[in-house]
């Protein structure tokens, strides 16, 4: 039996890992965004650790790093997110339970994508961002928990694919 066979211990662990990580990212993202919307004034930075770390409640109608596609941004990014989720679910389904790093990566990206998708569906005003790092005028684009999930997951996915490529290249030698 393979670890993708329903009912196997490996498959149960795979599903549990995925559901817990995706659900955890979504829950943390939704709760933090709700808290920010109800506790912080929009576009007014609140110092947490000097000028380096601030909480700044903003709405981002674009995508990462302020990428914006005009009046249709919301719909373009909604469609791209749905396409990405279809691809992520397919990767999840074909990833063996023993490939923990890749499963974690896929779950983090999926949870982050769903977290920001919820915002886009709920409001035409865009995604709630609030984590603000930098010094003076040199600041990283404001982001949220979902963005962290996507970023960390993408890095882990790249590492996983790189390791697999190196292993496969070593087997061919």
């Amino acid at each position: 039996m393979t670890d993708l066979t329903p009912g196997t211990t490996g498959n149960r662990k795979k599903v549990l890992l995925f559901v817990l990580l995706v659900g955890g990212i979504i829950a943390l993202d939704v709760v933090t965004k709700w808290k920010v919307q109800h506790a912080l004034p929009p576009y007014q930075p609140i110092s947490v650790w000097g000028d380096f770390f601030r909480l700044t409640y903003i709405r981002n109608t674009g995508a990462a790093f302020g990428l914006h596609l005009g009046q249709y941004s919301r719909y373009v990014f909604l469609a791209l997110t749905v396409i990405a989720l279809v691809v992520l679910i397919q990767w999840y389904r074909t990833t063996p339970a023993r490939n923990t790093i890749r499963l974690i990566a896929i779950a983090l990206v999926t949870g982050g994508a769903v977290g920001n998708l919820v915002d886009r569906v709920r409001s035409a005003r865009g995604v709630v961002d609030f984590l603000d790092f930098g010094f003076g005028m040199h600041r990283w684009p404001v982001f949220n928990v979902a963005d962290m999930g996507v970023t960390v997951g993408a890095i882990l996915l790249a590492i996983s694919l790189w390791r697999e490529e190196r292993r496969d290249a070593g087997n061919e030698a």
Side-chain angles (χ1 to χ4, degrees):
M1 261 189 228
T2 69
D3 33 346
L4 292 178
T5 304
T8 65
T9 301
N11 194 47
R12 282 192 295 270
K13 287 180 182 177
K14 175 182 171 178
V15 170
L16 183 63
L17 175 68
F18 188 77
V19 168
L20 287 177
L21 284 174
V22 170
I25 292 290
I26 294 169
L28 188 58
D29 186 61
V30 167
V31 167
T32 56
K33 287 174 179 176
W34 182 88
K35 184 69 174 166
V36 163
Q37 291 174 79
H38 290 87
L40 298 180
Y43 302 97
Q44 294 180 23
I46 308 292
S47 176
V48 174
W49 192 20
D51 187 46
F52 175 68
F53 174 39
R54 309 181 309 193
L55 296 176
T56 307
Y57 168 27
I58 69 165
R59 289 291 195 146
N60 179 2
T61 56
F65 309 112
L67 178 63
H68 198 273
L69 302 174
Q71 66 180 355
Y72 299 108
S73 284
R74 178 182 185 202
Y75 304 106
V76 170
F77 294 125
L78 277 169
L80 290 174
T81 302
V82 170
I83 292 166
L85 287 170
V86 169
V87 171
L88 287 164
I89 295 302
Q90 185 58 32
W91 277 352
Y92 163 76
R93 292 180 69 215
T94 60
T95 299
R98 68 184 174 277
N99 195 338
T100 307
I101 291 176
R102 184 170 304 163
L103 289 172
I104 290 170
I106 293 167
L108 291 174
V109 174
T110 301
V114 171
N116 282 334
L117 179 67
V118 167
D119 274 9
R120 290 190 196 288
V121 168
R122 287 179 35 193
S123 174
R125 296 182 338 191
V127 171
V128 172
D129 286 332
F130 59 92
L131 298 168
D132 181 359
F133 288 88
F135 294 103
M137 297 302 295
H138 304 284
R139 310 215 57 85
W140 191 259
V142 180
F143 59 99
N144 59 45
V145 172
D147 297 334
M148 289 190 297
V150 169
T151 301
V152 172
I155 291 167
L156 288 175
L157 188 57
I159 290 168
S160 170
L161 294 171
W162 176 72
R163 282 182 171 176
E164 186 175 305
E165 184 177 300
R166 285 189 59 206
R167 186 191 70 231
D168 290 348
N171 289 339
E172 292 174 5

